[in-house]
Amino acid sequence: MSNQATVLNVQRFTLHDGPGIRTEFFLKGCPLRCDWCGNPESFNRKAEVGVYQNKCLTTDKCSECSDVCEQPNMLIFSDAALQKIDRSACTSCLGCAQECPSEAIKQWGSEMSIEQCVEVTKKDRGFYERSGGGVTVSGGEPLLQSDFVYDLFKVCQKEGIHTCLESSFFAHWSKIDALLPVTDLFISDIKLMDSAKHKKHTGVDNHKILDNLKRLSTTDKPLILRIPVIPFVNDDLGNAEATADFILNEMGGRVRTLQLLSFMRLGEEKYASLGLDYPMRNLEFDRIEFQNRVNQLAKYFNQRGIHCLVGTKESAG
């Protein structure tokens, strides 16, 4: 039994990732590096800190971070203000984030126990019952902490609470198989059908993902699929045709809904706070033309008999 997980965020009263009103736990750590990801703080499995220079009070007014840092030279200042962190020297003690009074140093991730997560869900149980909602676990990639997900969902199941897992499905099938008895709904992406392009834009090929989707389609578990539609990456008809063929021929059409989520330029400030380059920084495209392409792709999928929605996350049961 895994009693603790590194949780990036807890969102209450969410309406997007599963039916009804939900409590969503975002677990930290992800093996993919999607160019368009807006949540770089989810990459690292361990808790870490981000630096927001414009919030720093400067050392002539505040020295809380340097006073508690285990490696004082790790904090790099310019004109008396914190500029960045030498992450090669950081021990992840998190003391600087805990002491910073202005959130110039922000902690991403903290340990939560099953008991703490259950306590959160108890507060929202009335909303689940009235709306047909429940608990969703997302990421990052929650299958990196699949034992914790199993234990949490098992408790939810005993309490009659609907459970939903949102995952990239980039994991060994055994981890998904173990969660089948305690998971009521699965949500996954199907980003690109061309394996080489998938690896180029996400850091991994898609063989394991597609195999897991085929295996899940042989069970009785409902599945929502999502395509994050990215300009000049996967917004072409060729990828749509290959995706439709896969859903209909390899999965037997066993998909409740296919959602097309249009690219939004998100997360640039978070990338900077972590000392990372934003991969989509130089992307330029016409928003109206792009949205028209997305709408045409949705029309194509619906013509193929695949229930498809644009720019939304399903909230219906």
Side-chain angles (χ1 to χ4, degrees), residues 53-66:
Q53 303 170 6
N54 61 333
K55 295 183 179 181
C56 182
L57 298 177
T58 74
T59 52
D60 62 341
K61 298 178 182 178
C62 171
S63 61
E64 298 294 333
C65 59
S66 56

Side-chain angles (χ1 to χ4, degrees), residues 35-298:
D35 289 341
W36 51 87
C37 182
N39 299 297
E41 73 280 16
S42 70
F43 293 166
N44 196 331
R45 170 77 177 269
K46 296 180 180 179
E48 59 190 327
V49 297
V51 176
Y52 292 84
Q53 303 170 6
N54 61 333
K55 295 183 179 181
C56 182
L57 298 177
T58 74
T59 52
D60 62 341
K61 298 178 182 178
C62 171
S63 61
E64 298 294 333
C65 59
S66 56
D67 288 345
V68 300
C69 182
E70 294 180 354
Q71 302 285 338
N73 294 331
M74 180 197 77
L75 303 171
I76 300 172
F77 294 87
S78 177
D79 296 326
L82 180 64
Q83 295 298 306
K84 60 182 179 179
I85 290 176
D86 180 358
R87 297 185 183 273
S88 66
C90 181
T91 62
S92 297
C93 72
L94 306 176
C96 57
Q98 293 163 7
E99 293 297 325
C100 180
S102 64
E103 292 193 340
I105 305 177
K106 181 178 177 61
Q107 178 175 332
W108 293 114
S110 59
E111 293 297 307
M112 287 187 71
S113 66
I114 294 290
E115 291 76 18
Q116 288 173 314
C117 293
V118 169
E119 191 63 30
V120 174
T121 66
K122 286 181 178 179
K123 297 177 182 178
D124 297 337
R125 178 153 190 168
F127 296 102
Y128 308 155
E129 293 173 349
R130 289 192 290 273
S131 68
V135 170
T136 297
V137 177
S138 184
E141 176 46 69
L143 291 176
L144 290 178
Q145 304 183 71
S146 60
D147 290 344
F148 180 88
V149 178
Y150 176 86
D151 292 336
L152 177 59
F153 279 4
K154 189 173 182 180
V155 174
C156 291
Q157 187 181 57
K158 288 181 179 179
E159 296 294 324
I161 298 173
H162 183 276
T163 58
C164 173
L165 178 73
E166 182 177 17
S167 166
S168 71
F169 272 28
F170 185 76
H172 194 278
W173 170 253
S174 61
K175 292 190 174 185
I176 301 167
D177 188 49
L179 289 170
L180 292 178
V182 294
T183 306
D184 296 311
L185 172 67
F186 288 88
I187 300 175
S188 185
D189 285 353
I190 187 164
K191 300 174 177 67
L192 276 156
M193 291 305 299
D194 184 278
S195 184
K197 289 183 179 179
H198 194 284
K199 186 170 184 177
K200 175 183 177 181
H201 292 288
T202 73
V204 302
D205 65 44
N206 62 4
H207 299 311
K208 188 179 296 184
I209 295 169
L210 298 181
D211 183 60
N212 285 334
L213 289 174
K214 287 192 289 185
R215 288 184 180 222
L216 186 69
S217 69
T218 65
T219 74
D220 62 353
K221 294 296 178 178
L223 170 67
I224 294 171
L225 273 180
R226 291 172 174 167
I227 301 177
V229 186
I230 316 301
F232 314 119
V233 174
N234 64 350
D235 60 340
D236 57 285
L237 183 59
N239 185 68
E241 291 174 342
T243 303
D245 289 344
F246 177 80
I247 291 172
L248 295 172
N249 300 330
E250 302 296 330
M251 298 182 65
R254 296 184 181 89
V255 173
R256 175 185 290 186
T257 300
L258 176 65
Q259 300 170 348
L260 306 186
L261 305 183
S262 301
F263 170 76
M264 299 292 290
R265 194 184 299 273
L266 300 173
E268 288 186 71
E269 188 179 26
K270 289 189 285 187
Y271 276 90
S273 81
L274 292 164
L276 300 173
D277 292 328
Y278 180 56
M280 309 298 281
R281 182 183 304 278
N282 297 321
L283 176 66
E284 295 181 3
F285 65 101
D286 184 287
R287 171 62 62 178
I288 295 176
E289 289 182 3
F290 170 64
Q291 198 57 52
N292 286 337
R293 288 201 300 276
V294 175
N295 292 335
Q296 287 299 313
L297 293 178

Side-chain angles (χ1 to χ4, degrees), residues 15-18 166 226 259 261 309-316:
L15 298 171
H16 302 301
D17 296 329
E166 182 177 17
R226 291 172 174 167
Q259 300 170 348
L261 305 183
L309 303 174
V310 175
T312 183
K313 293 184 178 182
E314 183 178 90
S315 58

